[in-house]
Amino acid sequence: MKLELQLSRLLQAKNRRFALVALAGMLSTAGLMATAPKHEPPVNREKVWTVTAISPQAEYISPELQLFGRIETPRHAQIGVALESRVLTVYANEGQAVAAGELLLALDDEEQALQLRQRVADRIEAEAAVAALQTDFASERTVLEQQQTLLDLTRSRVERLRTLHARNLVATEQLEGLQREAASQQIEFARQQALVAKQPQRLASAQARLEGAAAREEDQRRSLEQTRVRAPFAGRVARLQAAPGDRVRPGQTLLALYDDRALQLRVPVPGSLAGTLKQALTAGTVVEAFVGEQQIPARLLQLASEVGQGSTGLEAIFALPASAGTSHELGRAVDLYLRLPATGPAVALPLQSLYGQKRIYLVEDARLRGLEVSPLGTRRNALGELEVLVDAAAIPANSRVLTSDLPQASSGLPVEVLGDGAIADTGPGADRTGTRPVNSA
């Protein structure tokens, strides 16, 4: 009993010390909690996006369409020869610019020169024949006059003998002999008379032979000249298909030449633009396209009269300026911007203002509001930046249009336009960040 009583007293003492330690800890914790700073409950913050916006101005604007075309020219010559010969010298190189009449290549002319000598001889012979014939004509006319005189004398003698024969003063045989002589002279006179009468025809025939000989000589001179192949117009050598020593045949193409100052651009255009372009051509409205990075202007000449197989559109033909030949080669494919007749009223917006091809966002009361639009086309501004054209009637007056590329754009999204300064809070502790929001703690 005494041992149990001692153990009980010992446990009670330990419990009292533990209770005092526990009490002291609780009092210390309570004191710390009482003196700790108080935290306000967290408030949900609404994200605000810093964006850019513009107030577009309505105007009549020419839409532009990006297309592709190929350079060609109506002055593209395939230069060949009309005779058989051998190439002696080639003076031109592929891609070389040449002047009109410049010597491009030379053929062997020995055979043609020999034939020309023969043609010259034929012409000289024909000239001599005409001159001899004119000399003969004078002699023939003199002979005819003498024959006429002799015939007249013989006829007079026949008449006298007839008178004497009637008086039986001459024999009949003598009269008949003189009559036969007169008849013979009459025949010779008729022949000479016919020969003189045919002098104009004979002269014409001889002159015709002379003209033929002269023509053959001229033709041969041209054949000889064709052994010197010259540029028919100023341009650039597109292709060379001959080398010294080659044997060429009549009709064979030796080189190709094109006029680099008369280049054109053939451009396939959508069928939907055919009516607009035809109307512009009929009205005399200038329609231009701008080619490549250099923005070379090209003017619409006409629309092709034939639609290619498998194509639903037309081909438009544009005239390039004469200076374009120095930087653009024949057959080259180029990109261009076709500037259509002005339409409107319309507003020009940056490409990033258009979402999903048909939606823009207006900034109203520091929030976005989506608006469906129908783009009219695109254009490049003075800085070369691409802009989308929108019908001005679809945008309320004095509106501001979002121009930032905002992936999270949606109606009701809170925004702050850069440059406007602070905007009204949309909630307690509103967070104003850049185009990427910062999540609140």
Side-chain angles (χ1 to χ4, degrees):
M1 289 294 294
K2 186 180 293 187
L3 180 59
E4 292 178 357
L5 180 61
Q6 290 177 350
L7 290 174
S8 175
R9 289 177 181 175
L10 182 60
L11 289 175
Q12 289 176 359
K14 288 183 177 180
N15 289 337
R16 282 195 299 268
R17 287 196 296 269
F18 179 76
L20 290 174
V21 173
L23 178 61
M26 292 177 61
L27 291 175
S28 176
T29 301
L32 290 174
M33 294 180 62
T35 58
K38 296 182 179 180
H39 292 277
E40 296 181 0
V43 179
N44 291 330
R45 300 177 183 178
E46 194 171 16
K47 302 178 183 67
V48 177
W49 300 75
T50 300
V51 297
T52 57
I54 60 171
S55 298
Q57 300 296 322
E59 56 183 326
Y60 283 87
I61 307 175
S62 296
E64 294 179 351
L65 184 65
Q66 185 175 12
L67 299 170
F68 296 91
R70 188 172 297 276
I71 294 177
E72 59 179 35
T73 178
R75 291 170 59 83
H76 188 195
Q78 306 290 328
I79 301 176
V81 291
L83 48 87
E84 184 174 354
S85 185
R86 183 173 56 87
V87 178
L88 285 182
T89 310
V90 178
Y91 297 99
N93 296 315
E94 192 165 324
Q96 177 182 342
V98 296
E102 183 174 339
L103 184 62
L104 303 179
L105 55 84
L107 304 179
D108 185 3
D109 62 353
E110 182 178 357
E111 182 178 350
Q112 300 300 324
L114 288 174
Q115 292 185 13
L116 178 60
R117 291 174 59 185
Q118 180 62 49
R119 298 306 181 192
V120 171
D122 293 343
R123 190 253 310 160
I124 293 174
E125 183 180 3
E127 288 176 344
V130 170
L133 194 60
Q134 290 174 339
T135 301
D136 292 345
F137 285 170
S139 299
E140 290 172 357
R141 286 191 291 269
T142 300
V143 170
L144 180 63
E145 292 173 357
Q146 296 299 324
Q147 287 181 342
Q148 178 71 54
T149 301
L150 290 174
L151 181 59
D152 291 342
L153 291 174
T154 303
R155 285 174 176 173
S156 297
R157 289 176 60 194
V158 169
E159 291 299 325
R160 288 197 299 271
L161 285 178
R162 281 178 180 173
T163 302
L164 293 175
H165 182 270
R167 297 176 183 178
N168 295 320
L169 297 177
V170 294
T172 301
E173 292 82 1
Q174 186 178 358
L175 175 61
E176 290 176 351
L178 189 57
Q179 287 177 337
R180 285 193 298 271
E181 182 181 352
S184 178
Q185 290 180 355
Q186 178 66 40
I187 293 172
E188 292 298 326
F189 176 75
R191 288 175 178 172
Q192 189 67 23
Q193 193 175 36
L195 187 63
V196 172
K198 291 179 180 179
Q199 284 182 356
Q201 292 87 345
R202 292 160 61 198
L203 179 61
S205 177
Q207 288 177 336
R209 288 191 293 272
L210 174 59
E211 288 294 329
R216 288 188 291 274
E217 178 188 354
E218 180 64 24
D219 181 66
Q220 186 57 38
R221 288 187 184 278
R222 292 183 179 181
S223 296
L224 180 60
E225 180 61 26
Q226 287 177 0
T227 62
R228 299 294 182 266
V229 180
R230 301 180 183 276
F233 51 78
R236 191 175 298 274
V237 178
R239 188 174 62 258
L240 187 62
Q241 296 178 267
D246 287 349
R247 189 74 182 179
V248 296
R249 300 181 301 275
Q252 180 178 341
T253 299
L254 302 182
L255 54 86
L257 180 71
Y258 71 93
D259 189 348
D260 57 353
R261 297 178 61 84
L263 295 182
Q264 294 180 350
L265 196 60
R266 184 175 291 268
V267 182
V269 297
S272 57
L273 291 181
T276 301
L277 296 180
K278 288 179 180 179
Q279 184 177 2
L281 287 172
T282 302
T285 304
V286 176
V287 178
E288 288 186 316
F290 298 89
V291 181
E293 296 180 356
Q294 299 174 342
Q295 295 292 289
I296 299 176
R299 181 174 55 86
L300 178 64
L301 287 180
Q302 63 190 35
L303 296 177
S305 58
E306 182 179 2
V307 178
Q309 186 175 4
S311 175
T312 58
L314 292 177
E315 289 184 330
I317 300 175
F318 292 82
L320 289 167
S323 59
T326 59
S327 57
H328 289 79
E329 299 78 19
L330 188 68
R332 179 179 178 182
V334 296
D335 59 334
L336 65 141
Y337 285 92
L338 173 62
R339 180 174 294 174
L340 299 173
T343 185
V347 295
L349 302 174
L351 277 183
Q352 58 266 27
S353 292
L354 190 64
Y355 289 80
Q357 304 298 324
K358 60 179 181 178
R359 175 182 288 267
I360 63 173
Y361 286 95
L362 307 181
V363 179
E364 297 178 347
D365 299 328
R367 291 185 179 273
L368 298 183
R369 179 170 72 88
L371 181 66
E372 297 290 330
V373 294
S374 297
L376 303 177
T378 59
R379 75 157 185 186
R380 286 187 175 270
N381 59 21
L383 300 178
E385 299 168 341
L386 198 60
E387 295 179 326
V388 62
L389 305 183
V390 176
D391 187 1
I395 302 177
N398 302 320
S399 296
R400 291 196 300 177
V401 179
L402 176 69
T403 59
S404 296
D405 185 8
L406 197 60
Q408 289 80 4
S410 61
S411 294
L413 185 71
V415 294
E416 178 184 5
V417 178
L418 188 65
D420 281 359
I423 60 173
D425 287 349
T426 57
D431 176 25
R432 296 177 181 82
T433 64
T435 55
R436 288 186 177 273
V438 178
N439 294 329
S440 55

